[in-house]
Amino acid sequence: MKATDTLAAEEVDSDAGPPSPARMSRRSQSLIEKFRQIRDFSTHLCRNLEPEDCVVQSMPDVSPTKWHLAHTSWFFETFVVKTWMPRYRSEVPQYAYLFNSYYNAAGDMHRRDLRGLISRPTVAETFRYRESIDRFVTELIKEADDGCLAEIEPVLTLGLHHEQQHQELLVTDIKHVFSQNPLYPVFQARALETETNRVAPPHFAEFDEATVLIGHDGNSFSYDNEGPRHRALVPAFSLSNRLITNGEYLAFMEAGGYSRPEFWLSLGWTTANEQRWQAPLYWEQRDGAWWNFTLSGFRRVNESEPVTHVSYFEADAFANWNGARLPTEFEWEHAASAVPVEGNFVDAQRFHPTPASSENNGDELRQMFGDVWEWMRSAYLPYPGYHAGPGALGEYNGKFMCNQMVLRGGSCATSRDHIRPTYRNFFQPEKRWQFTGIRLARDPG
Ligand SMILES: [Fe+2]
């Protein structure tokens, strides 16, 4: 594998005579810089992992770390290198079958729930595959003239946002993998605050009825599901100025939240009983106290931190118990459009949500971005006039617009430059392994 790898790379180097850095355009240089920075962060996230950690698939929703590393490389290989570098030949053509996720137009694919059985390529071979694709992409950008670069850039940028999505999945997936190991491995050693600090009581900021613009304005990168931008009527509502804490969620649990069907959707009640939910995912009761598994180890639940790893069903039941409801994605986007995109993101490498301030911040909305994804009471549906694009990349978002709920705002596993007020994440309502949490809304009166 190594020998072919080197040959292929040499062929690229000697063929077109790539321009020296001095001859490269500023646009090419900044694209290469961005490409390397984001690709390197995936590798950086694996720095404390052993090869044995990287191959485990702890449930069908989870992909092994190795698969994420290979699949993101396959994305660039398939949609960038193969498209614009006609002389490129895959070193191992079978990778296309192993590492295609769900793009039917790109060919057949391996079963998602069997990804943990792919012991080959090894982790080392997977890293070499990554490095090889990185070299080809870099050479392609160096060689491309302005016209070609204008074609490549949108797909390359999509690939980088795709990589950041998989970085988030890599973090949440390894958390699930480690949680299944009775030794509770530590992903990143860090002293998380175990002291429960006082968090200011929630305050509901009021919003008047308004016709607002929803969706991305097209002035920078966005996914197709964020458009078309359109007007929507948002009736008067109020929105909590912070996330729900573990302490508040404990009160719901202690009030019999998990044993009172009156708070639950029918499907939620069935699911909670079938799955025997008594607490958020990763919580465990020991000697009468609640503990939870974090990426920095197993520890006592900190009551001031935002609650996370709850399903839509639990978020909705909590809101009903509280006499409130979850926000719609239109309410959330309207409120978030005036809030700076700041918060606890993966860039801080804390890998865990942080408590809100103890100061009363009145109408100022906190924790809108980062910490935990917020479940919306909106089904994930196309905006008016939405049509998925043609070809394999048209399968990116559109075909999932059924049986999923919208989440907004990003989490402590999301990159700062990946999230925006119009960003629509989506998961099935029973999923709990992402950093998902709760912000409440209310109707007037
Ligand atoms: Fe993907």
Side-chain angles (χ1 to χ4, degrees):
M1 179 171 180
K2 182 72 181 165
T4 327
D5 211 16
T6 311
L7 271 179
E10 278 170 359
E11 189 191 337
V12 169
D13 282 334
S14 59
D15 193 19
S20 65
R23 280 166 51 208
M24 245 199 305
S25 70
R26 185 171 296 217
R27 188 177 183 185
S28 304
Q29 284 182 42
S30 76
L31 259 185
I32 289 174
E33 207 171 292
K34 190 78 185 162
F35 177 74
R36 285 190 177 142
Q37 179 208 329
I38 291 176
R39 291 283 282 173
D40 289 350
F41 190 63
S42 301
T43 314
H44 176 78
L45 286 171
C46 304
R47 70 198 180 286
N48 296 329
L49 299 179
E50 299 296 338
E52 290 83 351
D53 301 325
C54 297
V55 299
V56 178
Q57 181 172 32
S58 49
M59 65 168 170
D61 285 326
V62 159
S63 297
T65 303
K66 182 180 76 179
W67 190 90
H68 287 299
L69 295 172
H71 163 70
T72 47
S73 304
W74 167 85
F75 192 97
F76 285 111
E77 181 187 32
T78 305
F79 299 119
V80 177
V81 179
K82 283 184 178 173
T83 307
W84 282 285
M85 198 178 252
R87 67 176 179 278
Y88 174 80
R89 294 289 175 272
S90 293
E91 196 178 314
V92 187
Q94 295 92 331
Y95 284 0
Y97 177 78
L98 287 181
F99 302 125
N100 178 1
S101 52
Y102 57 65
Y103 300 88
N104 292 310
D108 291 341
M109 64 210 70
H110 187 56
R111 266 174 57 178
R112 178 185 174 144
D113 57 335
L114 300 183
R115 288 174 186 165
L117 303 181
I118 310 171
S119 59
R120 305 297 175 95
T122 64
V123 174
E125 284 168 336
T126 301
F127 275 109
R128 285 204 289 277
Y129 172 51
R130 273 185 80 80
E131 287 158 15
S132 148
I133 297 301
D134 285 353
R135 279 199 303 277
F136 281 112
V137 170
T138 307
E139 291 305 325
L140 177 64
I141 299 171
K142 282 181 185 171
E143 289 173 14
D145 58 26
D146 284 353
C148 189
L149 210 56
E151 288 178 24
I152 295 171
E153 188 169 356
V155 183
L156 190 85
T157 304
L158 177 68
L160 291 175
H161 285 272
H162 172 255
E163 181 99 15
Q164 289 179 313
Q165 284 186 288
H166 278 278
Q167 287 165 356
E168 173 146 11
L169 291 169
L170 190 155
V171 169
T172 52
D173 288 358
I174 200 69
K175 181 170 183 175
H176 193 267
V177 167
F178 278 180
S179 77
Q180 302 304 301
N181 185 332
L183 296 178
Y184 288 138
V186 169
F187 176 73
Q188 171 154 303
R190 178 184 284 265
L192 295 175
E193 298 78 14
T194 48
E195 292 285 307
T196 296
N197 302 315
R198 198 186 76 85
V199 172
H203 165 84
F204 282 75
E206 292 184 6
F207 292 81
D208 293 332
E209 177 174 297
T211 300
V212 301
L213 277 170
I214 294 294
H216 198 268
D217 63 11
N219 287 329
S220 55
F221 175 83
S222 66
Y223 287 116
D224 63 350
N225 63 3
E226 294 166 61
R229 193 162 158 87
H230 61 283
R231 292 190 306 158
L233 175 68
V234 177
F237 70 102
S238 62
L239 188 67
S240 178
N241 64 355
R242 66 161 171 79
L243 297 166
I244 292 300
T245 64
N246 284 330
E248 288 159 342
Y249 198 82
L250 262 171
F252 165 70
M253 289 161 56
E254 285 163 3
Y258 281 93
S259 54
R260 294 171 64 181
E262 65 266 34
F263 303 129
W264 293 75
L265 288 163
S266 172
L267 189 56
W269 183 244
T270 306
T271 307
N273 282 290
E274 278 174 2
Q275 306 284 327
R276 300 184 184 180
W277 290 344
Q278 294 294 324
L281 180 64
Y282 302 131
W283 284 38
E284 205 178 303
Q285 205 165 23
R286 287 195 179 175
D287 301 325
W290 283 102
W291 291 60
N292 63 348
F293 178 70
T294 75
L295 281 163
S296 298
F298 190 64
R299 56 190 65 214
R300 282 283 291 269
V301 166
N302 180 335
E303 294 193 20
S304 54
E305 286 170 358
V307 68
T308 188
H309 299 300
V310 288
S311 62
Y312 176 82
F313 295 135
E314 289 161 297
D316 179 73
F318 175 88
N320 287 330
W321 169 76
N322 202 281
R325 61 172 174 80
L326 300 177
T328 68
E329 64 171 322
F330 309 105
E331 291 167 339
W332 193 95
E333 186 170 321
H334 174 43
S337 62
V339 176
V341 183
E342 293 167 358
N344 170 28
F345 298 109
V346 75
D347 311 59
Q349 297 185 59
R350 201 171 179 281
F351 307 111
H352 200 68
T354 48
S357 160
S358 59
E359 288 167 31
N360 201 323
N361 46 300
D363 280 354
E364 189 189 329
L365 300 174
R366 300 273 175 89
Q367 302 173 310
M368 289 289 278
F369 297 100
D371 286 311
V372 297
W373 288 100
E374 300 173 24
W375 283 110
M376 299 290 113
R377 74 168 359 180
S378 302
Y380 177 52
L381 292 171
Y383 286 164
Y386 170 85
H387 296 286
L393 289 176
E395 297 182 49
Y396 201 106
N397 284 310
K399 69 182 188 182
F400 300 108
M401 291 173 172
C402 178
N403 291 344
Q404 312 217 39
M405 302 305 285
V406 173
L407 298 112
R408 295 291 196 129
S411 81
C412 56
T414 310
S415 288
R416 159 69 186 79
D417 61 3
H418 182 69
I419 196 70
R420 50 198 166 266
T422 57
Y423 194 107
R424 306 172 80 199
N425 195 2
F426 50 91
F427 276 99
Q428 290 94 349
E430 74 279 10
K431 302 301 184 200
R432 311 206 292 171
W433 94 111
Q434 297 301 300
F435 286 99
T436 46
I438 309 170
R439 182 186 301 270
L440 297 181
R442 281 185 186 151
D443 295 317

